[in-house]
Amino acid sequence: RCSQTYDDDNQSTTHNPCNPIMSDCEDSEGEEDSRISQLQSFIAENPDSEPGLTIQFLEKLGGKSGMIYGGMCFDEDFTLAHFLIMGILNHEREGKKLTAQIEESKGVLKAFNSSDKRQKMFLVAMELYIMKERPKGISRYNEVLKKLWESDIVEDEQVEWWQNTENTLQQFSPEFNLDDAVVIREVRANDASIVYSCFNSIPPLQSGLKFLEWLREGE
């Protein structure tokens, strides 16, 4: 297992682009950046908008000094990926499978992930989203990765990168837990006795490794 920090130039990175903010508010972790609701409003008011126009609006909002779960993030690509996920996949999600939402929104998601860097940051932002908002999704995360790959939202090289950089999320979340990062990447169904922080009870698991094994078998 390889643990690396993110650096687009394949060099080590030590700074943390997201910093927790001290606050007297007990629910500061739940603070949501207002740009997420602005994106949601744009999508609701323009349901037939071309994917590229939605991304142009997102980029116009910008991702500088983005508020993410009570912390301020200074990596713009990661922040924009988080805004997009929260604005599309976490909005009106009641009763919807994540894979179905990805299918519905694949045009916009593909338009956003136009570079290797954005695909990498999108995968890390998806990891954070699963951990914080939909932890039961870990049990079938291979299906999520498969849907993202089949929809040409992420390439297999970037999934391999994400798989091999277990501690990347540590740069963006002060509550990073290495056990969770290992589980979402490597735990198969027959390893479900492993205890990790997202669940009180352990369901059968199919991790990122399950998807990559499927991908390699088809080569």
Side-chain angles (χ1 to χ4, degrees):
R1 197 167 66 229
C2 179
S3 296
Q4 305 171 0
T5 54
Y6 170 74
D7 184 0
D8 208 30
D9 295 321
N10 296 320
Q11 298 175 352
S12 62
T13 300
T14 57
H15 76 284
N16 187 335
C18 294
N19 297 317
I21 293 178
M22 302 302 293
S23 173
D24 293 331
C25 299
E26 292 183 359
D27 62 346
S28 62
E29 183 183 354
E31 280 189 67
E32 186 176 86
D33 196 294
S34 63
R35 284 168 284 188
I36 295 173
S37 61
Q38 292 178 58
L39 177 61
Q40 291 170 344
S41 296
F42 175 85
I43 294 171
E45 294 167 4
N46 302 275
D48 299 320
S49 176
E50 291 292 323
L53 293 178
T54 301
I55 299 307
Q56 286 180 20
F57 180 82
L58 173 65
E59 291 172 339
K60 185 177 179 180
L61 291 175
K64 292 182 179 179
S65 303
M67 184 69 70
I68 300 179
Y69 296 116
M72 189 169 287
C73 187
F74 302 101
D75 186 297
E76 189 159 10
D77 284 326
F78 179 83
T79 303
L80 289 175
H82 174 74
F83 288 172
L84 185 64
I85 290 168
M86 296 299 288
I88 292 180
L89 301 181
N90 198 53
H91 185 53
E92 297 181 354
R93 75 182 205 203
E94 191 68 32
K96 295 182 180 180
K97 290 183 63 175
L98 182 54
T99 49
Q101 289 180 281
I102 291 171
E103 176 66 27
E104 293 173 0
S105 305
K106 62 183 179 182
V108 175
L109 298 176
K110 183 177 179 179
F112 175 77
N113 287 305
S114 56
S115 68
D116 291 352
K117 166 79 184 299
R118 281 202 168 175
Q119 289 181 35
K120 290 174 180 178
M121 293 298 94
F122 179 82
L123 286 167
V124 179
M126 277 293 293
E127 179 182 355
L128 178 62
Y129 172 62
I130 293 294
M131 297 298 185
K132 299 292 288 188
E133 304 290 344
R134 300 172 92 149
K136 290 185 179 180
I138 296 174
S139 64
R140 289 290 181 269
Y141 199 61
N142 62 307
E143 297 176 6
V144 174
L145 291 174
K146 184 178 180 182
K147 174 57 71 174
L148 292 172
W149 179 79
E150 289 180 335
S151 302
D152 295 323
I153 295 168
V154 296
E155 299 173 357
D156 49 343
E157 292 88 351
Q158 312 317 327
V159 179
E160 289 270 11
W161 172 87
W162 171 82
Q163 178 74 19
N164 293 325
T165 53
E166 292 170 350
N167 62 349
T168 301
L169 184 56
Q170 187 173 14
Q171 299 180 58
F172 304 99
S173 174
E175 297 179 7
F176 169 79
N177 185 293
L178 182 59
D179 291 339
D180 294 342
V182 170
V183 166
I184 199 171
R185 286 166 173 80
E186 298 186 12
V187 176
R188 300 180 183 86
N190 59 357
D191 297 324
S193 61
I194 294 177
V195 177
Y196 59 106
S197 69
C198 284
F199 290 121
N200 293 322
S201 60
I202 307 299
L205 299 169
Q206 302 290 352
S207 65
L209 183 60
K210 173 80 173 178
F211 164 73
L212 288 173
E213 289 174 339
W214 172 83
L215 195 63
R216 290 162 186 161
E217 287 173 1
E219 293 179 349

